Amino acid sequence: MESKIIRVAQGKESTLSQLYIEGIFQCYLLEDKIRETKIASQIAIPSGTFSFRLNTRGGKNAVYKKALGKLHEGMIEITGIPNFSYVYIHTGNTIKETAGCPLCGFGFQFVDGNYQVSQSVAAYKMIYPKLLALAKVENNKITIENNFQF
């Protein structure tokens, strides 16, 4: 299965993307701003091709297991990103919640110069089984590219 994150817009400190699996739009993603110099937990993932894996360790995993029950088998982690670790696709609505990770949502707004996503938990519940299936496939790939449209 092929997956892709296509960045379509930037705010003052935010980046709005679209997630595609097998060429089909799934949801919006929100990241921090694309920056030349890395600022920990305040920078978008660089463009490139990476992999998914299932991460079953850590505090965030326990929180999601409690909130989502049997749906949750582990955090979906994007791996192979130079100088980045623990990059999860997770829930949240504003860049204050990203910590350098993509947040998912079914809708988006532009507020005070930055993008936000909405209906994050619903979007996560919809995409999680698909991302989980990808994470379980050897040699899976996710491509991240910039294609700013607005």
Side-chain angles (χ1 to χ4, degrees):
M1 279 204 276
E2 179 185 328
S3 56
K4 189 176 279 194
I5 295 173
I6 301 175
R7 295 188 174 122
V8 296
Q10 283 206 146
K12 290 189 293 190
E13 298 296 323
S14 60
T15 304
L16 183 69
S17 304
Q18 298 171 336
L19 173 65
Y20 291 84
I21 299 174
E22 288 296 305
I24 299 170
F25 174 76
Q26 303 294 312
C27 67
Y28 292 100
L29 296 176
L30 180 70
E31 293 180 84
D32 291 295
K33 181 179 179 175
I34 296 171
R35 300 177 192 276
E36 292 295 320
T37 304
K38 184 174 180 180
I39 300 173
S41 299
Q42 295 181 18
I43 185 171
I45 304 163
S47 298
T49 301
F50 310 105
S51 298
F52 286 121
R53 79 176 187 108
L54 193 61
N55 185 323
T56 58
R57 304 175 314 277
K60 195 169 226 27
N61 185 59
V63 169
Y64 275 62
K65 184 67 173 170
K66 184 177 180 182
L68 300 171
K70 290 182 181 181
L71 174 68
H72 184 78
E73 293 183 32
M75 298 304 296
I76 304 300
E77 183 177 358
I78 302 173
T79 62
I81 307 167
N83 303 312
F84 282 75
S85 57
Y86 305 108
V87 176
Y88 304 128
I89 294 179
H90 62 90
T91 62
N93 300 104
T94 71
I95 57 170
K96 292 177 183 172
E97 300 163 288
T98 61
C101 300
L103 307 175
C104 56
F106 280 141
F108 70 90
Q109 300 87 24
F110 190 68
V111 178
D112 296 328
N114 278 307
Y115 287 93
Q116 300 177 356
V117 291
S118 59
Q119 300 176 311
S120 186
V121 173
Y124 187 82
K125 287 179 178 179
M126 190 274 296
I127 65 167
Y128 182 83
K130 297 172 186 182
L131 295 174
L132 178 63
L134 283 169
K136 291 180 176 181
V137 172
E138 266 192 67
N139 300 318
N140 65 63
K141 300 288 181 217
I142 180 161
T143 302
I144 301 172
E145 61 183 51
N146 299 332
N147 185 12
F148 295 108
Q149 299 171 4
F150 50 96

